[in-house]
Amino acid sequence: MEHPEDGTLALLALGEEQGVPRAQSRHVAECATCRKELEGLRRVVSAGRAGAGEPGLERPGEHVWSRISAELLGPAGSGAAGTPELPAVAPELPAEPVRAPVPQLARRSSRSWRTAWVAAAAFLLGVGATVVADQLRTPSAPEVLATAELAPLPEWSEADAGAAALHEVDGARVLNVELDPGLGEGYREVWLIDSDLERLISLGVLVGSEGVFDVPDNLDMGEFLIVDVSDEPYDGDPAHSGNSIVRGELS
């Protein structure tokens, strides 16, 4: 069986085994040449993902170029003291460019492309994971639209005051209500009432000391500013009992 294409090895290096035919996966596992290239690509992936969050690359010092030059020039380029000497003037290029054999050039180009492609993919995956993690760690705070102090009504004059706050979360409005859980003989229901105390809308039942209630999108909060928490008997009647524990106006 022929060696798999460059894209196949790139997928395996990125951990995308499900996109590779089973026969080609078996070939890579059994072929020493393919395994060697795959290991190299996996090292590129690891380096790309590990460096995704780094701010930048450090510029190498001059000694790095000196060592590279020594390797390239070989013994002929060494001075008396063993220090590589760089040519003062760049050598002249031949009139006709020297062409490498086409098969070798194509192979190097393909390998370079594959390595660059894998490195870029690994880097982007690492950056994406970093961005997502940062967003999860720092959620946006909800916007406070209005607040109200919920004062006890005369029948509940010994009760502690409660609090309400209108928030906007992801484009929707919610009402947060806090009240002493020991108040009330039946169940407690949260209402929004208009300024004339004639129209009212139930938001739901308050269980415990705090509750969060969705506010209808089309409700005009310029009219329904009063927050009311009532003590409701278990009589099956959905109407307001007329026994309000606390009440306050949003502003």
Side-chain angles (χ1 to χ4, degrees):
M1 180 178 182
E2 295 183 358
H3 295 302
E5 297 180 356
D6 295 337
T8 300
L9 290 178
L11 288 174
L12 290 174
L14 289 169
E16 299 292 337
E17 291 85 357
Q18 66 273 15
V20 178
R22 190 172 303 175
Q24 294 189 10
S25 296
R26 285 199 303 268
H27 172 84
V28 173
E30 298 171 356
C31 176
T33 302
C34 291
R35 287 201 309 271
K36 183 177 180 180
E37 293 196 16
L38 180 59
E39 280 302 313
L41 291 176
R42 283 175 174 166
R43 287 194 294 271
V44 174
V45 170
S46 299
R49 287 173 174 168
E54 297 296 328
L57 298 178
E58 183 179 352
R59 181 182 179 87
E62 294 298 329
H63 65 284
V64 177
W65 171 242
S66 299
R67 292 179 181 177
I68 295 175
S69 300
E71 291 291 337
L72 293 176
L73 295 175
S78 303
T83 303
E85 297 178 355
L86 298 180
V89 181
E92 296 182 1
L93 296 177
E96 293 294 332
V98 178
R99 300 183 181 273
V102 174
Q104 182 182 4
L105 180 61
R107 181 60 177 172
R108 289 182 178 179
S109 175
S110 175
R111 184 177 301 166
S112 301
W113 170 88
R114 180 175 61 207
T115 303
W117 186 87
V118 171
F123 179 82
L124 291 176
L125 287 174
V127 170
T130 302
V131 171
V132 171
D134 290 342
Q135 290 178 348
L136 291 176
R137 285 195 297 264
T138 57
S140 57
E143 180 183 358
V144 179
L145 302 179
T147 59
E149 180 180 353
L150 304 180
L153 271 70
E155 294 83 354
W156 302 86
S157 57
E158 297 180 359
D160 294 333
L166 183 66
H167 298 277
E168 181 174 346
V169 181
D170 296 332
R173 296 174 301 180
V174 296
L175 183 70
N176 181 278
V177 177
E178 299 179 7
L179 187 63
D180 184 352
L183 299 176
E185 298 177 358
Y187 66 91
R188 298 175 301 172
E189 192 164 0
V190 178
W191 308 79
L192 285 177
I193 307 177
D194 71 345
S195 55
D196 296 329
L197 300 179
E198 294 181 353
R199 295 173 296 163
L200 69 166
I201 295 174
S202 172
L203 296 184
V205 177
L206 175 62
V207 179
S209 61
E210 183 177 2
V212 179
F213 306 91
D214 293 329
V215 177
D217 293 337
N218 57 352
L219 184 65
D220 186 358
M221 293 303 297
E223 297 183 13
F224 291 84
L225 291 174
I226 299 176
V227 180
D228 179 280
V229 181
S230 65
D231 182 25
E232 299 289 337
Y234 294 98
D235 57 2
D237 187 351
H240 195 293
S241 65
N243 184 13
S244 295
I245 304 173
V246 291
R247 186 177 292 174
E249 184 172 343
L250 292 167
S251 61

